Coordinates of all heavy atoms in Angstrom, one line a residue:
Q36 N -3.1 9.2 -8.7 CA -1.8 9.5 -8.2 C -1.1 10.4 -9.2 O -0.4 11.3 -8.8 CB -1.0 8.2 -8.1 CG -1.4 7.3 -6.9 CD -0.6 6.0 -6.8 OE1 -0.1 5.5 -7.8 NE2 -0.5 5.5 -5.6
V39 N -2.4 13.9 -8.6 CA -1.8 14.5 -7.4 C -0.4 14.9 -7.7 O 0.1 16.0 -7.3 CB -1.8 13.5 -6.2 CG1 -1.0 14.0 -5.1 CG2 -3.3 13.3 -5.8
P45 N 7.1 19.0 -5.1 CA 7.8 17.8 -4.6 C 7.8 17.8 -3.0 O 7.7 16.7 -2.5 CB 9.2 18.0 -5.1 CG 9.0 18.8 -6.4 CD 7.9 19.7 -6.1
E46 N 7.8 18.9 -2.4 CA 7.8 18.9 -0.9 C 6.5 18.4 -0.3 O 6.5 17.8 0.7 CB 8.1 20.3 -0.4 CG 9.5 20.8 -0.7 CD 9.6 21.3 -2.2 OE1 8.6 21.5 -2.8 OE2 10.8 21.4 -2.7
N47 N 5.4 18.7 -1.0 CA 4.1 18.3 -0.5 C 3.5 17.1 -1.1 O 2.4 16.7 -0.9 CB 3.1 19.5 -0.7 CG 3.5 20.7 0.2 OD1 3.9 20.5 1.3 ND2 3.3 21.9 -0.3
R48 N 4.3 16.4 -2.0 CA 3.8 15.3 -2.7 C 3.4 14.1 -1.9 O 2.4 13.5 -2.0 CB 4.7 14.9 -3.8 CG 4.1 13.9 -4.8 CD 4.9 13.9 -6.1 NE 4.9 15.3 -6.7 CZ 5.8 15.7 -7.7 NH1 6.7 14.9 -8.0 NH2 5.7 16.9 -8.2
A49 N 4.2 13.8 -0.9 CA 3.9 12.7 0.0 C 2.6 13.0 0.8 O 1.8 12.0 1.0 CB 5.1 12.5 1.0
K50 N 2.4 14.2 1.2 CA 1.1 14.6 1.8 C -0.1 14.3 0.9 O -1.1 13.8 1.3 CB 1.2 16.0 2.3 CG -0.1 16.4 3.1 CD 0.0 17.9 3.5 CE -1.3 18.3 4.3 NZ -1.1 19.7 4.7
G51 N 0.1 14.7 -0.4 CA -0.9 14.5 -1.4 C -1.2 13.1 -1.6 O -2.4 12.6 -1.7
M52 N -0.2 12.3 -1.8 CA -0.3 10.8 -1.9 C -1.0 10.2 -0.7 O -1.8 9.3 -0.8 CB 1.0 10.2 -2.2 CG 1.7 10.6 -3.5 SD 0.7 10.0 -5.0 CE 1.8 10.7 -6.3
G53 N -0.6 10.8 0.5 CA -1.3 10.3 1.7 C -2.7 10.6 1.7 O -3.5 9.8 2.3
M54 N -3.2 11.7 1.1 CA -4.6 12.0 1.1 C -5.4 11.0 0.3 O -6.5 10.6 0.6 CB -4.8 13.4 0.5 CG -4.3 14.5 1.4 SD -5.0 14.6 3.1 CE -6.7 15.1 2.7
I55 N -4.7 10.5 -0.8 CA -5.4 9.4 -1.6 C -5.5 8.2 -0.7 O -6.5 7.5 -0.6 CB -4.5 9.1 -2.8 CG1 -4.5 10.3 -3.8 CG2 -5.1 7.8 -3.5 CD1 -3.7 10.0 -5.0
G56 N -4.4 7.9 0.0 CA -4.4 6.7 0.9 C -5.5 6.9 2.1 O -6.1 5.9 2.5
M57 N -5.6 8.2 2.6 CA -6.6 8.4 3.6 C -8.0 8.1 3.1 O -8.8 7.6 3.8 CB -6.5 9.8 4.1 CG -7.4 10.1 5.3 SD -7.4 11.8 5.8 CE -8.3 12.6 4.5
E132 N 17.0 2.5 -9.4 CA 16.2 2.9 -8.2 C 14.7 2.7 -8.5 O 13.9 2.3 -7.6 CB 16.5 4.3 -7.8 CG 16.1 5.4 -8.8 CD 17.2 5.7 -9.9 OE1 18.1 4.8 -10.0 OE2 17.2 6.8 -10.5
I133 N 14.2 3.0 -9.7 CA 12.8 2.8 -10.1 C 12.5 1.4 -10.1 O 11.4 0.9 -9.5 CB 12.5 3.5 -11.4 CG1 12.8 5.0 -11.4 CG2 11.1 3.2 -11.8 CD1 11.9 5.7 -10.4
G135 N 13.9 -1.0 -8.4 CA 13.9 -1.5 -7.0 C 12.6 -1.1 -6.3 O 12.0 -1.9 -5.6
L136 N 12.2 0.1 -6.5 CA 10.9 0.6 -5.9 C 9.7 -0.2 -6.4 O 8.8 -0.5 -5.6 CB 10.7 2.1 -6.1 CG 11.7 3.0 -5.3 CD1 11.6 4.4 -5.8 CD2 11.4 3.0 -3.8
L137 N 9.7 -0.5 -7.7 CA 8.6 -1.2 -8.3 C 8.6 -2.7 -7.7 O 7.5 -3.2 -7.4 CB 8.7 -1.2 -9.8 CG 8.4 0.1 -10.5 CD1 8.7 0.0 -12.0 CD2 7.0 0.6 -10.3
F139 N 9.9 -3.6 -4.9 CA 9.5 -3.5 -3.5 C 8.0 -3.4 -3.3 O 7.4 -4.0 -2.5 CB 10.2 -2.4 -2.8 CG 9.6 -2.0 -1.5 CD1 9.8 -2.8 -0.4 CD2 8.9 -0.8 -1.3 CE1 9.3 -2.5 0.8 CE2 8.4 -0.5 -0.1 CZ 8.6 -1.3 1.0
F140 N 7.4 -2.6 -4.2 CA 5.9 -2.4 -4.1 C 5.2 -3.7 -4.4 O 4.1 -3.9 -3.8 CB 5.5 -1.3 -5.2 CG 4.1 -0.8 -5.0 CD1 3.7 -0.1 -3.9 CD2 3.1 -1.2 -6.0 CE1 2.4 0.3 -3.8 CE2 1.8 -0.8 -5.8 CZ 1.4 0.0 -4.8
L143 N 5.5 -5.8 -1.3 CA 4.7 -5.2 -0.2 C 3.3 -5.5 -0.3 O 2.6 -5.9 0.6 CB 4.9 -3.6 -0.3 CG 4.2 -2.8 0.8 CD1 4.9 -3.0 2.2 CD2 4.2 -1.3 0.5
A183 N -2.9 7.3 9.7 CA -1.5 7.3 9.2 C -1.3 8.1 8.0 O -0.3 8.9 7.8 CB -1.0 5.9 9.0
Q184 N -2.2 8.0 7.0 CA -2.0 8.7 5.7 C -2.6 10.1 5.7 O -2.1 10.9 4.9 CB -2.7 7.8 4.6 CG -2.0 6.5 4.5 CD -2.6 5.6 3.4 OE1 -3.8 5.6 3.1 NE2 -1.7 4.8 2.7
L187 N -0.2 11.5 9.8 CA 1.2 11.2 10.1 C 2.1 11.5 9.0 O 3.2 12.1 9.1 CB 1.4 9.8 10.6 CG 0.8 9.4 12.0 CD1 1.1 8.0 12.3 CD2 1.4 10.3 13.1
I188 N 1.7 11.0 7.7 CA 2.7 11.0 6.6 C 3.2 12.4 6.3 O 4.4 12.6 6.0 CB 2.1 10.3 5.4 CG1 3.1 10.1 4.3 CG2 0.8 11.0 4.9 CD1 4.3 9.3 4.7
G189 N 2.3 13.4 6.2 CA 2.8 14.7 5.9 C 3.8 15.3 6.8 O 4.8 15.9 6.4
R190 N 3.5 15.1 8.1 CA 4.4 15.6 9.1 C 5.8 14.8 9.1 O 6.8 15.4 9.3 CB 3.8 15.5 10.5 CG 2.6 16.5 10.7 CD 1.7 16.1 11.8 NE 0.7 17.2 12.1 CZ -0.4 17.3 11.4 NH1 -0.6 16.5 10.4 NH2 -1.3 18.3 11.6
L191 N 5.7 13.5 9.1 CA 6.9 12.7 9.1 C 7.8 12.9 7.8 O 9.0 13.0 7.9 CB 6.6 11.2 9.2 CG 5.9 10.8 10.6 CD1 5.6 9.4 10.6 CD2 6.9 11.1 11.7
A192 N 7.1 13.1 6.7 CA 7.8 13.3 5.4 C 8.6 14.6 5.5 O 9.7 14.7 5.0 CB 6.9 13.3 4.2
K193 N 8.0 15.7 6.0 CA 8.7 17.0 6.1 C 9.9 16.9 7.1 O 10.9 17.5 6.8 CB 7.7 18.0 6.6 CG 6.8 18.5 5.5 CD 5.9 19.7 6.0 CE 5.0 20.2 5.0 NZ 4.2 21.3 5.4
K194 N 9.8 16.1 8.1 CA 10.8 16.1 9.1 C 11.9 15.1 8.7 O 13.1 15.4 8.9 CB 10.2 15.6 10.5 CG 11.2 15.7 11.6 CD 10.5 15.5 12.9 CE 11.5 15.6 14.1 NZ 10.9 15.4 15.4
Y195 N 11.6 13.9 8.2 CA 12.6 12.9 7.9 C 12.8 12.6 6.5 O 13.9 12.0 6.1 CB 12.2 11.6 8.6 CG 12.1 11.7 10.1 CD1 10.8 11.7 10.7 CD2 13.2 11.9 10.9 CE1 10.7 11.9 12.1 CE2 13.1 12.0 12.3 CZ 11.8 12.0 12.9 OH 11.7 12.1 14.2
G196 N 11.9 12.9 5.6 CA 12.0 12.5 4.2 C 11.4 11.1 3.9 O 11.4 10.2 4.8
E197 N 11.0 10.9 2.7 CA 10.3 9.7 2.3 C 11.2 8.5 2.4 O 10.8 7.4 2.7 CB 9.7 9.8 0.9 CG 8.5 10.8 0.8 CD 9.0 12.2 0.6 OE1 10.2 12.4 0.5 OE2 8.2 13.1 0.5
A198 N 12.5 8.7 1.9 CA 13.4 7.5 1.9 C 13.6 7.0 3.3 O 13.7 5.7 3.5 CB 14.7 7.9 1.3
K199 N 13.8 7.8 4.3 CA 14.0 7.4 5.7 C 12.8 6.7 6.2 O 12.9 5.6 6.9 CB 14.4 8.5 6.6 CG 15.8 9.0 6.4 CD 16.2 10.1 7.4 CE 17.6 10.6 7.2 NZ 18.0 11.6 8.2
I200 N 11.6 7.2 5.9 CA 10.4 6.5 6.3 C 10.3 5.1 5.7 O 9.9 4.2 6.4 CB 9.2 7.4 6.0 CG1 9.2 8.7 6.7 CG2 7.9 6.6 6.3 CD1 8.1 9.7 6.3
L201 N 10.7 5.0 4.5 CA 10.5 3.8 3.8 C 11.6 2.7 4.2 O 11.4 1.5 4.0 CB 10.7 4.0 2.3 CG 10.0 2.9 1.4 CD1 8.5 2.8 1.7 CD2 10.2 3.3 -0.1
R202 N 12.6 3.2 5.0 CA 13.5 2.2 5.5 C 13.0 1.6 6.8 O 13.6 0.6 7.3 CB 14.9 2.9 5.8 CG 15.6 3.3 4.5 CD 17.0 3.8 4.8 NE 17.7 4.2 3.6 CZ 17.9 5.4 3.2 NH1 17.5 6.4 3.9 NH2 18.6 5.7 2.0
V203 N 12.0 2.2 7.4 CA 11.5 1.8 8.7 C 10.1 1.2 8.6 O 9.8 0.1 9.1 CB 11.5 2.9 9.7 CG1 10.9 2.5 11.1 CG2 12.9 3.4 9.9
A204 N 9.2 1.9 7.9 CA 7.7 1.5 7.9 C 7.5 0.1 7.4 O 6.6 -0.6 8.1 CB 7.0 2.5 7.0
P205 N 8.1 -0.4 6.4 CA 7.8 -1.8 6.0 C 8.1 -2.8 7.1 O 7.4 -3.9 7.1 CB 8.7 -2.0 4.8 CG 8.9 -0.7 4.2 CD 9.0 0.2 5.4
I208 N 5.1 -3.7 9.1 CA 4.2 -4.7 8.5 C 4.8 -6.1 8.8 O 4.0 -7.0 9.2 CB 4.0 -4.4 7.0 CG1 3.7 -2.9 6.8 CG2 2.9 -5.3 6.5 CD1 3.7 -2.6 5.3
F233 N -0.3 1.1 10.4 CA 0.5 2.3 10.3 C 1.7 2.0 9.3 O 2.1 2.9 8.5 CB 1.1 2.7 11.7 CG 0.1 3.3 12.6 CD1 0.4 3.5 13.9 CD2 -1.1 3.7 12.1 CE1 -0.5 4.1 14.8 CE2 -2.0 4.3 12.9 CZ -1.7 4.5 14.3
G234 N 2.3 0.8 9.3 CA 3.3 0.5 8.4 C 2.9 0.6 7.0 O 3.6 1.2 6.1
M235 N 1.7 0.0 6.7 CA 1.2 0.1 5.3 C 0.8 1.5 4.9 O 1.0 2.0 3.8 CB 0.0 -0.8 5.2 CG -0.4 -1.1 3.7 SD 0.9 -2.1 2.9 CE 0.2 -2.3 1.3
G236 N 0.2 2.2 5.9 CA -0.3 3.6 5.6 C 0.9 4.6 5.3 O 0.7 5.5 4.6
L237 N 2.1 4.3 5.9 CA 3.2 5.1 5.7 C 4.0 4.7 4.4 O 4.6 5.5 3.8 CB 4.1 5.1 6.9 CG 3.6 5.7 8.2 CD1 4.5 5.6 9.3 CD2 3.2 7.2 8.0
S238 N 4.0 3.4 4.1 CA 4.8 2.9 3.0 C 4.3 3.3 1.7 O 5.0 3.7 0.8 CB 4.9 1.4 3.1 OG 5.6 1.0 4.3
N239 N 3.0 3.1 1.5 CA 2.4 3.3 0.1 C 2.6 4.7 -0.4 O 3.0 4.9 -1.6 CB 0.9 2.9 0.1 CG 0.7 1.5 -0.2 OD1 1.5 0.8 -0.8 ND2 -0.5 1.0 0.2
P240 N 2.3 5.8 0.4 CA 2.5 7.1 -0.2 C 4.0 7.4 -0.5 O 4.3 8.1 -1.4 CB 2.0 8.0 0.9 CG 1.1 7.2 1.7 CD 1.6 5.8 1.7
C241 N 4.9 6.9 0.4 CA 6.3 7.1 0.1 C 6.8 6.5 -1.1 O 7.6 7.1 -1.9 CB 7.1 6.6 1.3 SG 6.9 7.6 2.8
V242 N 6.3 5.3 -1.4 CA 6.7 4.6 -2.7 C 6.2 5.4 -3.9 O 7.0 5.7 -4.8 CB 6.2 3.2 -2.7 CG1 6.4 2.5 -4.1 CG2 6.8 2.3 -1.7
A243 N 5.0 5.8 -3.9 CA 4.4 6.6 -5.0 C 5.1 7.9 -5.1 O 5.4 8.4 -6.3 CB 2.9 6.8 -4.8
T244 N 5.5 8.6 -4.0 CA 6.2 9.8 -4.1 C 7.6 9.7 -4.7 O 8.0 10.5 -5.5 CB 6.3 10.5 -2.7 OG1 4.9 10.7 -2.2 CG2 7.0 11.8 -2.7
L245 N 8.3 8.7 -4.2 CA 9.7 8.5 -4.7 C 9.7 8.1 -6.2 O 10.5 8.6 -7.0 CB 10.4 7.4 -3.9 CG 10.6 7.8 -2.4 CD1 11.3 6.6 -1.7 CD2 11.5 9.0 -2.3
I246 N 8.7 7.3 -6.6 CA 8.6 7.0 -8.0 C 8.3 8.2 -8.9 O 8.9 8.4 -9.9 CB 7.5 5.9 -8.3 CG1 8.0 4.5 -7.7 CG2 7.2 5.7 -9.7 CD1 6.9 3.4 -7.8
S247 N 7.4 9.0 -8.4 CA 7.0 10.2 -9.2 C 8.2 11.2 -9.2 O 8.4 11.9 -10.3 CB 5.8 10.9 -8.6 OG 6.1 11.5 -7.3
R248 N 9.0 11.3 -8.2 CA 10.1 12.2 -8.2 C 11.2 11.8 -9.1 O 11.9 12.6 -9.7 CB 10.7 12.4 -6.8 CG 9.9 13.2 -5.8 CD 10.6 13.4 -4.5 NE 9.9 14.3 -3.6 CZ 10.4 14.7 -2.4 NH1 11.5 14.2 -2.0 NH2 9.7 15.5 -1.7
R249 N 11.4 10.5 -9.3 CA 12.5 10.0 -10.1 C 12.1 9.7 -11.6 O 12.9 9.2 -12.3 CB 13.0 8.7 -9.5 CG 13.5 8.8 -8.1 CD 14.6 9.8 -7.9 NE 15.9 9.3 -8.5 CZ 17.0 10.0 -8.5 NH1 17.1 11.1 -7.8 NH2 18.1 9.5 -9.1
T250 N 10.8 10.0 -11.9 CA 10.3 9.8 -13.3 C 10.1 11.1 -14.0 O 9.5 12.0 -13.4 CB 9.0 9.0 -13.2 OG1 9.2 7.8 -12.4 CG2 8.5 8.6 -14.5
L259 N 3.5 5.3 -12.7 CA 2.6 5.0 -11.6 C 1.6 3.9 -11.9 O 1.2 3.1 -11.1 CB 2.0 6.3 -11.1 CG 2.9 7.3 -10.5 CD1 2.2 8.6 -10.3 CD2 3.4 6.8 -9.1
S262 N 3.2 0.7 -11.5 CA 3.3 0.3 -10.1 C 2.0 -0.3 -9.6 O 2.0 -1.3 -8.9 CB 3.7 1.5 -9.2 OG 2.7 2.4 -9.1
Q263 N 0.9 0.3 -10.0 CA -0.4 -0.2 -9.6 C -0.7 -1.6 -10.3 O -1.4 -2.4 -9.7 CB -1.5 0.8 -9.9 CG -1.4 2.1 -9.1 CD -1.6 1.8 -7.6 OE1 -2.4 0.9 -7.2 NE2 -0.8 2.5 -6.8
A321 N 14.9 -3.5 -2.0 CA 14.8 -2.1 -2.2 C 16.0 -1.3 -1.5 O 16.2 -0.2 -1.8 CB 13.5 -1.5 -1.7
L325 N 17.5 2.2 -2.7 CA 17.2 3.5 -1.9 C 18.5 4.2 -1.6 O 18.6 5.4 -1.7 CB 16.4 3.1 -0.7 CG 14.9 2.8 -0.9 CD1 14.3 2.3 0.4 CD2 14.2 4.0 -1.4
A328 N 19.7 5.8 -4.9 CA 18.9 7.0 -5.4 C 18.9 8.1 -4.4 O 18.9 9.3 -4.8 CB 17.5 6.5 -5.7
F329 N 18.9 7.8 -3.1 CA 18.8 8.8 -2.0 C 19.9 8.6 -1.0 O 19.6 8.2 0.1 CB 17.4 8.8 -1.4 CG 16.3 8.9 -2.4 CD1 15.7 7.7 -2.9 CD2 15.9 10.1 -2.9 CE1 14.7 7.8 -3.8 CE2 14.9 10.2 -3.8 CZ 14.3 9.0 -4.3

Side-chain angles (χ1 to χ4, degrees):
Q36 289 180 332
V39 169
E46 294 76 16
N47 293 323
R48 192 160 298 163
K50 182 179 179 180
M52 295 295 181
M54 294 301 291
I55 296 178
M57 185 184 71
E132 65 271 22
I133 297 297
L136 288 169
L137 291 173
F139 167 71
F140 189 71
L143 183 71
Q184 296 181 325
L187 291 180
I188 185 63
R190 291 164 173 79
L191 293 177
K193 283 185 178 180
K194 186 172 183 179
Y195 300 106
E197 293 83 2
K199 287 186 177 180
I200 295 173
L201 206 55
R202 292 187 179 105
V203 176
I208 311 172
F233 285 171
M235 196 67 182
L237 295 175
S238 297
N239 272 339
C241 289
V242 173
T244 299
L245 294 179
I246 289 176
S247 70
R248 283 187 176 182
R249 305 296 294 184
T250 305
L259 290 169
S262 71
Q263 291 301 319
L325 284 174
F329 307 96

